[in-house]
Amino acid sequence: MRKIILAFDSFKGSLSSKEAADAFEEGLLSVMPEAEIHKITIADGGEGTMEALVEMLGGRIIDIHVCNPIGRNTKACYAIIDEGKTAIIEMAQASGLTLLNDEERNPLLTSTYGTGQMIADALDRGCRKIMLGIGGSATNDGGTGMMEALGYRFTDSNGNPLKGCGKNLERICSIDSSKVHPAVAEAEWLVACDVNNPLYGPNGAAYVFAAQKGADRKMIEQLDRGLRNYAKAIMGFNGTDVQAIAGSGAAGGMGAALTALLHASLSPGIDMVLDAIGFDMAISGASLVVTGEGKIDRQTLMGKAPGGILQRAAEQGIPTIAVGGTVEWCNELRSCGFAKIIELNKQGLPLDMAMRHDTAWENMRNAAKELLLTYDIL
């Protein structure tokens, strides 16, 4: 009996991860009813990660009220799994760019305080492993808002406490951890991070990411100066050269706080997810792995779910097929090792029509049937 693994990311705006797998399974079984099909819900560490892990591992969703990036009360949620031991938190729930309108976007003022509130709530509930996704932030505060919510104090030259936000990074002279939440030191911190940018400089948090968060050139220069000063303060606090840490510039410098102050491990989001669900064990003995997402292109191989799955399957000698709503061919895709790449929208339908749920479902079913009729490994 053929063991086939279906591990799709969501086709955003069209099919969820689970729906994509269900539709593909329907097509497979219509041609090969004896197939042994295993469906694995996945995400790449960004939006949808919390739901994917709860789907696979069980758990519950916690709803709380926190501060959004400009301090406005907002509802956020995170998940608790592993019998209450592990929290899955998406930074964007509290500190995301989509929580603000265009006029409110200003990384000098925005703060990660709400993310810290979510973490503190999880620690209060007994979680001692924190899995954190840090994509989609509206902030450039170096994670100082988050750390403030966890009890850290950042003070100026006169010893006055500073609110955690981008404009105050330049003023930080010292860091005080004497009133930090007692569970912080007990916790294990796993962070989904898909960038390697340093904290400051031409490739740092401000110059690379702040413009999309509302910063103009003058703001970017101020933020970069602040991040340099922040790195100096961290060095004085615990001797960590945070600039040397790959990914310290992620999420507006959130990576710096996580690694230098919380001793977190940063890893590609898809690897964090695959490790959490025991993916390597789940695919053992499989004949084929099928993965996919809305668009397959060069970015697929740079931290996206299908690229990570391809790598894991290749380590066990299992061929992998990718399915994309659309496929943007490039040399990297042709040579990366996918046994086959299938495009769902072969008819070239307008995007809004191709993304309709019923159309996408039918295209997914047909792709599965076509695969079994044309792919000789089966």
Side-chain angles (χ1 to χ4, degrees):
M1 183 180 292
R2 302 290 188 180
K3 178 180 177 181
I4 302 173
I5 305 295
L6 305 183
F8 294 100
D9 200 349
S10 63
F11 288 63
K12 290 184 175 61
S14 181
L15 298 172
S16 68
S17 171
K18 183 179 184 302
E19 288 172 331
D22 287 345
F24 205 87
E25 177 187 43
E26 191 175 289
L28 288 176
L29 293 177
S30 69
V31 178
M32 184 183 284
E34 73 280 8
E36 178 188 346
I37 296 173
H38 297 254
K39 295 180 289 185
I40 300 175
T41 302
I42 59 156
D44 61 8
E47 181 183 354
T49 296
M50 177 175 61
E51 291 86 351
L53 289 175
V54 169
E55 173 79 23
M56 290 300 301
L57 303 174
R60 58 196 176 103
I61 302 296
I62 305 296
D63 294 313
I64 62 171
H65 285 270
V66 298
C67 294
N68 83 347
I70 57 173
R72 187 167 56 227
N73 186 274
T74 190
K75 184 178 177 181
C77 63
Y78 67 93
I80 293 179
I81 62 170
D82 190 23
E83 298 180 342
K85 299 174 185 175
T86 300
I88 305 164
I89 297 173
E90 295 177 3
M91 177 187 183
Q93 285 276 331
S95 310
L97 194 61
T98 59
L99 299 176
L100 306 178
N101 60 43
D102 290 347
E103 293 73 28
E104 294 172 327
R105 296 177 179 181
N106 181 340
L108 291 175
L109 305 179
T110 51
S111 173
T112 55
Y113 190 85
T115 298
Q117 289 177 298
M118 295 174 72
I119 294 171
D121 188 81
L123 294 174
D124 287 341
R125 293 175 189 267
C127 296
R128 291 298 180 267
K129 178 185 284 188
I130 307 295
M131 298 176 66
L132 180 63
I134 59 173
S137 77
T139 55
N140 201 113
D141 70 349
T144 54
M146 172 188 69
M147 302 308 293
E148 180 188 357
L150 293 175
Y152 275 81
R153 292 174 73 248
F154 300 88
T155 56
D156 64 15
S157 57
N158 295 315
N160 299 313
L162 297 168
K163 176 185 176 183
C165 63
K167 71 176 183 179
N168 283 338
L169 292 171
E170 284 186 291
R171 300 174 58 198
I172 296 173
C173 285
S174 63
I175 302 172
D176 179 4
S177 62
S178 62
K179 296 183 179 180
V180 170
H181 193 299
V184 164
E186 303 170 6
E188 177 184 2
W189 306 84
L190 305 177
V191 182
C193 175
D194 292 331
V195 302
N196 293 317
N197 301 72
L199 182 60
Y200 58 80
N203 297 314
Y207 278 102
V208 175
F209 302 113
Q212 67 196 44
K213 303 174 185 182
D216 58 23
R217 185 71 184 183
K218 186 176 180 180
M219 290 180 188
I220 290 171
E221 292 171 354
Q222 180 180 348
L223 289 166
D224 190 68
R225 290 195 303 271
L227 292 168
R228 289 174 184 270
N229 180 66
Y230 181 41
K232 182 179 177 182
I234 290 173
M235 176 68 80
F237 173 68
N238 64 11
T240 301
D241 179 7
V242 70
Q243 178 68 358
I245 300 174
S248 60
M254 175 75 96
L258 290 164
T259 55
L261 301 179
L262 296 181
H263 310 293
S265 300
L266 307 184
S267 62
I270 184 59
D271 286 337
M272 185 184 79
V273 171
L274 296 181
D275 288 342
I277 64 177
F279 184 79
D280 294 345
M281 181 69 70
I283 67 172
S284 178
S287 301
L288 181 68
V289 173
V290 185
T291 184
E293 60 183 349
K295 186 177 184 181
I296 301 293
D297 59 11
R298 180 180 283 105
Q299 296 297 316
T300 298
L301 309 175
M302 301 170 65
K304 296 291 187 178
I309 286 170
L310 170 66
Q311 181 178 345
R312 296 293 186 99
E315 289 170 358
Q316 297 190 36
I318 305 168
T320 302
I321 287 173
V323 179
T326 59
V327 177
E328 188 175 292
W329 287 99
C330 61
N331 290 334
E332 291 88 342
L333 272 185
R334 292 186 175 92
S335 61
C336 69
F338 283 118
K340 187 180 181 68
I341 298 176
I342 299 172
E343 183 170 19
L344 295 183
N345 188 21
K346 291 182 178 179
Q347 307 95 325
L349 295 173
L351 187 60
D352 59 343
M353 185 177 297
M355 290 180 64
R356 283 177 45 180
H357 186 273
D358 56 344
T359 302
W361 185 285
E362 187 61 24
N363 283 341
M364 190 68 82
R365 286 183 73 255
N366 290 336
K369 290 191 286 187
E370 175 191 338
L371 172 65
L372 288 180
L373 295 173
T374 62
Y375 191 57
D376 59 11
I377 195 171
L378 298 175

